[in-house]
């Protein structure tokens, strides 16, 4: 058994991915009872791979693993989606790129930023429940189907392992109606879910429509900055709590 790299990663989490890969070499048989003794852990890396590593067996079985490196489960978030393609696919957002290009960038940065924010805010208010459901189905559920998730809590030096398919979030995406709940942010809103009886399910999910490289790059003729959709998981500790409650998480 051993682990190797396949592709490259430019994130700060690469050292943690290597640490988890080494740890899985001695823990995988316990975490995955059906795994035989002949396997390798392949680090994938790169932005095109949803999985950060794959446990690959001699008989061709592959277990994709996504790793989230957190300083503390109670702080920050992690991304499910960070995609310009999702903007282009969404009927309510397809004109956002052209509207951004029409903004006069030969003004102060604060003025340009306000115009960008106004365009993105207007676009987000056009998002329907059907739009949001489509984004979540295609870019969250479909792309994480069969995924093993490992969340590394550096504060407590603990790794949590669970299956994406066991997440209550997945069930809500498939069965409940997503709606936006606005706060103070103009380009960011919480997604909550409602069932047919009016019960609301809050999985601490957030959607943003932003420029991938910010306003500064938009104003720089040698750079580019285009609209992207981000779907983020806030309150990661609540994710773990919900899975512990249904006995669907392991630590290693």
């Amino acid at each position: 058994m051993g682990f190797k790299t396949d592709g490259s990663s430019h994130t700060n989490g690469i050292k943690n991915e290597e640490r988890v890969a080494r740890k899985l070499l001695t823990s995988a048989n316990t975490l995955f009872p059906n795994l035989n003794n002949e396997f390798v852990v392949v680090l994938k890396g790169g932005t095109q791979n949803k999985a950060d590593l794959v446990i690959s067996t001699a008989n061709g079985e592959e277990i994709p693993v996504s790793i989230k490196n957190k300083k503390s489960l109670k702080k920050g978030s992690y991304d499910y989606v960070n995609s310009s393609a999702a903007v282009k696919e969404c009927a309510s957002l397809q004109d956002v790129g052209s509207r951004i290009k029409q903004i006069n960038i030969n003004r102060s940065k604060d003025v340009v930023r306000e115009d960008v924010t106004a365009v993105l805010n207007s676009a987000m208010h056009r998002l329907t429940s059907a739009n949001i459901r489509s984004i979540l189905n295609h870019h969250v559920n479909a792309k994480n189907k069969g995924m093993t998730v490992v969340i590394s809590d550096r504060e407590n030096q603990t790794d949590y392992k669970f299956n994406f398919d066991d997440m209550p979030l997945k069930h809500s995406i498939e069965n409940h109606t997503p709606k936006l709940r606005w706060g103070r942010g103009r380009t960011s809103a919480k997604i909550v879910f409602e069932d047919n009886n009016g019960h609301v399910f809050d999985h601490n999910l957030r959607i943003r429509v932003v420029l991938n490289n910010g306003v500064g790059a938009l104003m720089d003729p040698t750079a580019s900055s285009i609209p992207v959709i981000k779907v983020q998981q806030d309150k990661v500790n609540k994710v773990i709590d919900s899975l512990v409650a249904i006995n669907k998480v392991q630590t290693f």
Side-chain angles (χ1 to χ4, degrees):
M1 295 181 294
F3 81 87
K4 58 182 179 178
T5 60
D6 179 14
S8 61
S9 173
H10 300 287
T11 69
N12 292 331
I14 185 62
K15 290 183 179 179
N16 184 62
E17 292 165 14
E18 293 174 350
R19 181 191 63 80
V20 171
R22 287 190 291 269
K23 205 171 179 181
L24 284 174
L25 291 176
T26 57
S27 304
N29 290 109
T30 301
L31 297 171
F32 306 95
N34 296 325
L35 192 66
N36 61 41
N37 287 324
E38 297 182 17
F39 68 88
V40 294
V41 179
V42 183
L43 284 167
K44 303 298 288 187
T47 58
Q48 299 304 310
N49 295 302
K50 273 291 181 183
D52 297 299
L53 62 83
V54 172
I55 300 172
S56 182
T57 68
N59 61 10
E61 180 187 4
E62 289 191 341
I63 302 171
V65 181
S66 175
I67 303 169
K68 314 298 183 185
N69 183 24
K70 303 298 301 173
K71 183 177 181 180
S72 169
L73 297 187
K74 296 181 180 180
K75 298 177 182 178
S77 61
Y78 63 77
D79 287 352
Y80 289 111
V81 181
N82 186 350
S83 171
S84 60
V87 174
K88 297 174 184 176
E89 293 165 5
C90 179
S92 295
L93 300 180
Q94 287 177 350
D95 67 337
V96 174
S98 61
R99 291 178 65 195
I100 292 294
K101 289 180 180 178
Q102 292 170 8
I103 292 174
N104 179 3
I105 60 174
N106 297 311
R107 296 172 297 164
S108 73
K109 190 173 184 178
D110 286 344
V111 172
V112 174
R113 180 182 289 109
E114 176 57 33
D115 282 359
V116 168
T117 298
V119 169
L120 299 178
N121 175 262
S122 173
M124 283 195 67
H125 274 90
R126 296 200 307 268
L127 285 172
T128 65
S129 289
N131 293 150
I132 300 167
R133 180 183 292 111
S134 179
I135 292 166
L136 296 179
N137 271 320
H138 288 94
H139 292 274
V140 179
N141 272 10
K143 293 183 179 180
N144 287 283
K145 183 179 180 180
M147 185 75 71
T148 294
V149 181
V150 172
I151 297 181
S152 299
D153 178 6
R154 302 204 307 273
E155 183 177 54
N156 295 313
Q157 297 184 333
T158 302
D159 293 299
Y160 297 87
K161 173 259 181 187
F162 57 90
N163 298 322
F164 174 82
D165 293 341
D166 290 330
M167 294 185 72
L169 170 64
K170 178 179 183 290
H171 178 79
S172 281
I173 292 173
E174 291 176 342
N175 297 284
H176 303 146
T177 300
K179 298 183 176 182
L180 295 187
R181 180 180 289 174
W182 288 91
R184 291 178 296 176
R186 296 173 62 193
T187 60
S188 167
K190 176 178 278 194
I191 300 174
V192 296
F193 298 85
E194 187 174 304
D195 68 13
N196 293 333
N197 297 315
H199 298 132
V200 174
F201 302 85
D202 182 357
H203 301 294
N204 297 293
L205 200 67
R206 181 164 298 278
I207 187 169
R208 303 177 186 273
V209 181
V210 297
L211 296 183
N212 64 337
N213 292 319
V215 173
L218 181 70
M219 300 175 68
D220 184 347
T222 67
S224 66
S225 196
I226 59 175
V228 297
I229 289 175
K230 289 190 175 187
V231 177
Q232 297 175 311
Q233 179 66 64
D234 293 338
K235 297 186 179 179
V236 182
N237 59 314
K238 299 295 185 182
V239 173
I240 299 300
D241 289 345
S242 69
L243 290 161
V244 168
I246 57 175
N247 197 30
K248 293 294 186 180
V249 65
Q250 295 170 278
T251 59
F252 67 103

